[in-house]
Amino acid sequence: MPIIHGAVPPRDVLLSFITDNPDRASKREIAKAFGLKGDARVELKAALKALEEDGLVQKSRKSLTRPGALPPVTVLDITTRDKDGELIGRPAEWPEDAGVAPAVAIRQSSSDRNKGKSPVGGLGDRVLAKIFPSKDRAGPAYTARVIKVIDKRRGALLGVYRDLGGHGGRLMPIERRGEEMVIDAADLGEAKDGDLVEVEVLRSFGRQGLSRARVLSVVGSVASEKAISMIAIHAHGIPYIFPQGVLDAAEAAKPASMAHREDWRHVPLITIDPHDAKDHDDAVYAEPDPSPDNPGGVIVTVAIADVSYYIRTGSALDREALKRGNSVYFPDRVVPMLPERISNNLCSLREGEDRPALAVRMVFSHEGRKASHTFHRVMMKSAAKLSYQQAQAAIDGRPDDKSGPLLEPILKPLWAAYAILKKGRDRRQPLELDMPERKIVLKADGTVDRVFVPDRLDAHKLIEEMMIQANVAAAETLEKKRQPLIYRVHDAPSLAKQETLREFLATIGFSLAKGAALRANAFNGILDKAAGTPHQIIVNEMVLRSQSQAVYSPENIGHFGLNLMKYAHFTSPIRRYADLIVHRALVGSLGLGEGGITPEEEASLDDIAAEISTFERRAMAAERDTINRLVAHHLAGRIGEEFDGQIAGVTKAGLFISLPQFGADGFVPVSTLGRDYFIYDEAHQALTGEKTGLGYQLGDAVSVRLKEALPLAGALQFEMLSEGRKMPAGTRSFHKATRRSGRPGPRKPGTRPPRGRR
C-alpha cells in the first residue's frame, strides 16, 4: 500500500520506522518524518497510543521503543487474538512502573500443524513459553513456543463475595486495578458473605453497568488465618493441592535399603536449622585432618537427604515436583515441593533415625584451600538436632542440657573448621551486601504480631559456607565426569547497569572503576566506604539494583556474587528441584546405584532450568505480595497515624516509602508533594522541585501519614510530612531528567525488582 505524505501511515509502517530509527522515535520526529500537521498529528497521537496499549511499543522518556527484553522463558497469560486469529499473550508478571506489558505472538510450528496436533493453549490459559525475538517488525516484538499449559482456566478471577441481602451480591477485587462485579443469586453457588471465591466473568453487563460473574469455587473465608497467603497462591497460579495419585505414591514409599550404600551411622553428623524447621535436609561434621601432609588442615563432611532415591524421573512424584519447582514459604504456611510423607519423614534427617543420604567429604588446608573431595552414598543417623540459637549459645559459653555434651566432640571442631573456611571466603571476596531480611511473626488469628530482623549468627554463616563448598564440589565433580547438569549462575552486572550505578555514585563523591571485567570486590570497596555513613542504606540498595538475577542454566557462566567459577545447587533437594537434578547426575555419573539421571532428562535440561527459574520468580513474587497484604491488614485500622519511614524507590510518578518496623512499602504520589513542578533525576534517584530546589532522594529518612490502606490489594498510600531538602543543582538538569508524569497516582507497592537468591 503506497504511503501518502501528510497522512498517518499504517501501523506496520509506524512500527518499522520506530524499529529502524530509535533515535528519531518521538512523536514530534515521527510527525516530521511523515509530514504530519494539524489534525493529522492528533490522529498520530491516537495511533501511537493504540500501539502502546497493544504492547507493541513502550514509552521511554519522550521517545517510543520496541518493548524491552523478556526472559528466555516466561509465564504468559493468553489474552486475545490478532487480526489473523493467532493467539496473543502477555507476561503474567510485569512491574507496574514498566508501562504496558509487551505482546507476545503464540506460534505453532508447521510440523506440529502437519502432524495434526491441537493448538497449544487457548484464550484465558496461562502457559510457560520459550521466548524469541520476532522477525516480523510489523507485529509483536516477540514470538513464543509453548512449553506447557500451566492453568487451563486463567479466565477465572479471585475476589471476596459481599452479600447484599438475598438478591446476590458483589465481588470485591483483590487487586488494586481489579473491578467490582455483580453476582446474581442464581450464580452464587455455596458462597457466603466474606468468602474468598473464584469466579467466571460473564460477557453481559449487570445492574449499574457492572460486569456479572458466576462463582466457580469457594476458596474459604477471607477472615481465616490462611486467606492472605491463599490469595497469593491463587493469583500466581502456585499448585498447592497434591493429586491423590501423588499422595498415594508417597504413602507407598518404603524406607531405603543398604544396597549401594556405605554405613555411616557411626559418624556423629548433626543438623543445625531454624527452631521451627520440620524437614532437615543437611547435616554436618568436621574433624582435624590426621594426614601429616596437611598440617592444621580439616575434613568437613556435609550429608544431604537422598531424595533421588525416592523421586524417580518420570514418576508421579517427579512430575508434581517439577510442576512446583520449589517450596514456597509464607509467614503462615509452607507450600512444599514434596508431600509431607517424603519431605518431613522419609527424607528428613531426623535425630536418632536411619536415613539415606548423599554425602561429600572435603579436605581443606589450614589456609582454607580445598585439597580434595569425594562423594558417597550412605546410610546415616543424625546424632542431634540443634537450632542455630542453641548451637551459637553453646559456643558462646551458654550450653544447655542438649548442646553441652556436644560442645567438645562436635561443635568446637565445627567452629574451628569454619574459621579455616572463612579464610578462603575472605580471600575469594564474594559480594557482601548488607540487606537484612525481616521476619513477620503472626498471632494465633493470622494477623501480624511483630516484624523483626533476626540476628545474623556465626552459626548461620558456618552452615552457609559449608553448603556453598558442598555445592562447588558437586559442580566440579560433574564437570570432571563431563556430566550435563544444571548450574546456579549469576551474571555480572550489565554495562548499562554499571553506568547507572557509576552516575549515581558520582553524585555522592564515590567512584566505580570502568570496564567489563569488574569483580565482586570492586563493589565491596564501595560498600565498605559507605559503611557507617548516611549513604550506607542507599549505596547498598543501588548496588543491589545493579546486579543481575541468579538463575538456573545448563550453560555455566559462573556465579558473580559468590565469585565462583563452578557452582550448582546440591544441598536442598527436599525444597528445590534443581538440587534433585544435581543429585541424580551425581548418582548416575559416579555409579552410586538407583535413581540416576536419564538420557531423556539430560536432553531436557534447557527447558527444566528455564522452568524452575520461572517458578522461583513466581514464588518470590507470591511471598512478597503476601507480606504486603499482611502489613496492609495490620495497618488498616491506623489511618491518619504518622510513621517514620525511608524512601525506598523513586519514580516519575512518586516515591515508594519503606516502613522498616513493618517490612513493607507504600506510595506517595508526586501530585501530593506540593505545588512545585517536580523533576525526576534517574542518576541521583531524586525528585526535585523546579522552583524551590527542594526534593527527596532514595535513602532519605522521612515522616509520613497513612492516608489509605487496601488490605486485599496489599497497597498503602501515604501523605508526605517531611519538607524536602536542598538538592544538588544537577538534579534539576533537564538533559538528565524528566518532568513529573502528567498522570501521577497511587500504585501498588512491591514493584521493584525482586532480590535474587543465591
Side-chain angles (χ1 to χ4, degrees):
M1 182 174 66
I3 307 303
I4 302 173
H5 194 69
V8 176
R11 288 163 63 100
D12 58 341
V13 176
L14 285 173
L15 285 169
S16 293
F17 181 86
I18 292 168
T19 303
D20 295 338
N21 303 276
D23 57 333
R24 298 172 56 207
S26 67
K27 186 176 68 174
R28 177 182 297 178
E29 290 290 344
I30 295 171
K32 183 178 178 181
F34 292 99
L36 305 180
K37 298 179 180 179
D39 291 343
R41 284 180 174 249
V42 177
E43 293 179 29
L44 173 65
K45 181 178 180 181
L48 295 177
K49 181 65 175 176
L51 289 176
E52 185 184 357
E53 289 176 348
D54 289 344
L56 302 179
V57 299
Q58 63 184 19
K59 276 189 177 179
S60 177
R61 295 188 178 176
K62 291 187 177 181
S63 64
L64 297 163
T65 61
R66 296 292 263 159
L70 288 176
V73 173
T74 301
V75 175
L76 302 175
D77 287 333
I78 301 178
T79 56
T80 187
R81 294 183 183 273
D82 64 14
K83 58 183 174 56
D84 299 319
E86 298 288 349
L87 294 169
I88 301 294
R90 295 180 189 272
E93 303 287 346
W94 190 253
E96 289 191 29
D97 56 358
V100 178
V104 182
I106 310 295
R107 301 297 188 210
Q108 186 180 26
S109 69
S110 56
S111 61
D112 283 349
R113 294 181 192 275
N114 295 336
K115 292 175 184 176
K117 290 186 178 180
S118 58
V120 283
L123 286 176
D125 287 356
R126 175 165 284 187
V127 299
L128 186 71
K130 195 105 172 178
I131 304 296
F132 306 93
S134 177
K135 296 178 181 178
D136 178 8
R137 299 194 303 175
Y142 302 96
T143 61
R145 173 177 61 81
V146 173
I147 298 172
K148 65 164 64 172
V149 177
I150 298 174
D151 192 338
K152 290 291 291 181
R153 203 174 62 182
R154 289 306 304 178
L157 297 175
L158 207 63
V160 177
Y161 172 68
R162 294 300 183 193
D163 184 67
L164 293 181
H167 302 288
R170 295 280 177 85
L171 180 79
M172 309 306 293
I174 61 170
E175 297 294 340
R176 180 92 191 210
R177 292 183 291 180
E179 62 174 305
E180 191 174 328
M181 298 183 189
V182 172
I183 302 178
D184 291 332
D187 297 321
L188 192 54
E190 301 297 320
K192 299 184 291 295
D193 185 64
D195 279 349
L196 187 65
V197 296
E198 194 176 29
V199 302
E200 175 185 21
V201 182
L202 304 176
R203 293 296 176 187
S204 58
F205 291 93
R207 301 183 298 274
Q208 301 179 21
L210 298 177
S211 296
R212 291 172 56 244
R214 176 187 299 119
V215 174
L216 296 174
S217 65
V218 176
V219 177
S221 171
V222 75
S224 72
E225 63 181 44
K226 301 290 187 181
I228 301 301
S229 55
M230 187 59 72
I231 291 173
I233 288 168
H234 274 255
H236 292 276
I238 295 173
Y240 70 102
I241 298 175
F242 284 106
Q244 190 58 47
V246 173
L247 294 174
D248 291 344
E251 289 301 320
K254 298 291 190 292
S257 69
M258 286 296 298
H260 302 285
R261 295 189 187 281
E262 301 173 42
D263 190 346
W264 279 26
R265 286 173 288 190
H266 63 284
V267 179
L269 290 148
I270 66 169
T271 62
I272 304 178
D273 288 299
H275 69 90
D276 55 353
K278 294 181 180 178
D279 56 71
H280 309 277
D281 50 10
D282 58 86
V284 293
Y285 175 67
E287 59 186 328
D289 186 0
S291 172
D293 296 331
N294 187 26
V298 292
I299 301 173
V300 175
T301 299
V302 174
I304 306 298
D306 189 0
V307 179
S308 64
Y309 178 83
Y310 294 101
I311 313 299
R312 302 297 175 87
T313 303
S315 66
L317 284 164
D318 180 52
R319 291 193 301 273
E320 184 66 19
L322 178 55
K323 181 180 176 183
R324 294 169 180 238
N326 48 253
S327 298
V328 187
Y329 294 86
F330 299 105
D332 63 340
R333 71 164 78 201
V334 176
V335 179
M337 185 178 78
L338 300 171
E340 187 173 337
R341 161 79 171 157
I342 301 293
S343 61
N344 292 1
N345 187 343
L346 292 176
C347 284
S348 185
L349 305 181
R350 292 180 171 182
E351 179 180 281
E353 298 185 22
D354 292 358
R355 286 293 182 269
L358 202 57
V360 57
R361 189 173 180 269
M362 300 173 286
V363 180
F364 293 89
S365 72
H366 72 281
E367 296 177 333
R369 301 183 189 277
K370 186 163 59 114
S372 63
H373 69 265
T374 54
F375 279 89
H376 309 260
R377 206 172 198 183
V378 306
M379 185 67 73
M380 61 162 283
K381 181 185 291 186
S382 171
K385 177 184 77 170
L386 296 180
S387 70
Y388 288 114
Q389 290 74 18
Q390 264 184 304
Q392 188 67 55
I395 287 293
D396 292 343
R398 302 187 311 277
D400 59 20
D401 291 343
K402 187 169 188 179
S403 62
L406 304 172
L407 185 58
E408 293 296 332
I410 297 176
L411 292 178
K412 285 188 175 180
L414 277 171
W415 256 257
Y418 170 58
I420 287 175
L421 265 60
K422 191 174 182 300
K423 293 179 184 178
R425 179 186 177 91
D426 292 343
R427 186 169 52 249
R428 193 175 80 239
Q429 294 190 54
L431 185 62
E432 300 284 5
L433 282 167
D434 181 18
M435 303 295 294
E437 295 290 337
R438 289 173 174 82
K439 183 177 178 64
I440 289 184
V441 177
L442 302 181
K443 300 176 184 175
D445 62 359
T447 58
V448 175
D449 180 23
R450 61 191 176 98
V451 182
F452 72 102
V453 178
D455 291 334
R456 178 78 167 149
L457 306 174
D458 281 346
H460 292 103
K461 298 174 185 177
L462 178 151
I463 294 298
E464 179 183 85
E465 191 58 30
M466 290 183 177
M467 297 305 113
I468 288 173
Q469 292 301 327
N471 289 336
V472 170
E476 289 176 346
T477 294
L478 293 174
E479 273 202 6
K480 187 175 181 180
K481 289 290 185 178
R482 300 185 181 277
Q483 168 64 51
L485 71 147
I486 289 178
Y487 296 90
R488 181 63 166 181
V489 299
H490 182 217
D491 204 355
S494 68
L495 292 177
K497 287 186 175 182
Q498 287 183 37
E499 189 57 34
T500 298
L501 177 62
R502 194 173 288 112
E503 288 181 3
F504 164 74
L505 292 173
T507 69
I508 57 174
F510 289 15
S511 62
L512 179 67
K514 289 192 175 183
L518 282 182
R519 303 286 292 271
N521 60 359
F523 295 94
N524 287 340
I526 298 295
L527 297 170
D528 289 343
K529 187 176 180 180
T533 74
H535 302 302
Q536 179 173 347
I537 294 176
I538 184 175
V539 169
N540 273 270
E541 181 69 33
M542 291 301 290
V543 170
L544 174 64
R545 293 185 184 194
S546 73
Q547 302 302 305
S548 304
Q549 185 169 358
V551 296
Y552 295 107
S553 172
E555 300 297 326
N556 186 25
I557 61 170
H559 196 295
F560 178 83
L562 292 174
N563 199 11
L564 292 167
M565 287 306 301
K566 300 172 184 178
Y567 191 67
H569 274 169
F570 158 74
T571 55
S572 295
I574 289 177
R575 61 183 180 91
R576 294 188 306 223
Y577 195 85
D579 304 55
L580 177 55
I581 291 287
V582 170
H583 275 236
R584 289 172 177 163
L586 287 166
V587 168
S589 63
L590 297 176
L592 298 178
E594 299 177 286
I597 195 168
T598 66
E600 294 77 17
E601 195 167 29
E602 289 181 4
S604 301
L605 288 184
D606 271 311
D607 286 347
I608 292 173
E611 287 184 48
I612 58 181
S613 295
T614 300
F615 296 157
E616 180 186 44
R617 291 193 296 271
R618 175 181 70 182
M620 292 167 68
E623 291 165 2
R624 186 176 62 248
D625 286 355
T626 298
I627 289 174
N628 286 336
R629 288 190 174 102
L630 281 168
V631 173
H633 268 273
H634 184 54
L635 297 179
R638 302 176 66 175
I639 303 296
E641 289 191 28
E642 298 179 12
F643 298 92
D644 292 328
Q646 188 166 41
I647 297 178
V650 182
T651 72
K652 287 185 292 185
L655 304 169
F656 287 98
I657 308 298
S658 173
L659 302 183
Q661 68 201 99
F662 300 108
D665 294 342
F667 194 68
V668 176
V670 69
S671 59
T672 67
L673 287 177
R675 304 185 67 176
D676 203 348
Y677 282 97
F678 280 84
I679 300 167
Y680 170 57
D681 186 330
E682 184 176 6
H684 291 74
Q685 286 293 293
L687 283 175
T688 305
E690 182 182 28
K691 296 178 181 178
T692 64
L694 301 178
Y696 305 89
Q697 188 174 29
L698 183 71
D700 285 354
V702 293
S703 294
V704 293
R705 178 181 291 117
L706 182 60
K707 218 178 157 187
E708 182 182 14
L710 299 179
L712 294 179
L716 303 172
Q717 184 176 317
F718 295 116
E719 174 188 357
M720 179 64 73
L721 299 179
S722 298
E723 291 288 336
R725 62 184 175 88
K726 195 70 176 176
M727 304 299 290
T731 62
R732 284 172 279 171
S733 172
F734 278 95
H735 74 278
K736 284 193 176 181
T738 56
R739 283 179 182 266
R740 68 180 185 181
S741 167
R743 301 182 305 278
R747 64 176 65 193
K748 183 179 175 182
T751 58
R752 290 176 292 145
R755 295 170 182 163
R757 299 181 180 182
R758 289 179 173 176

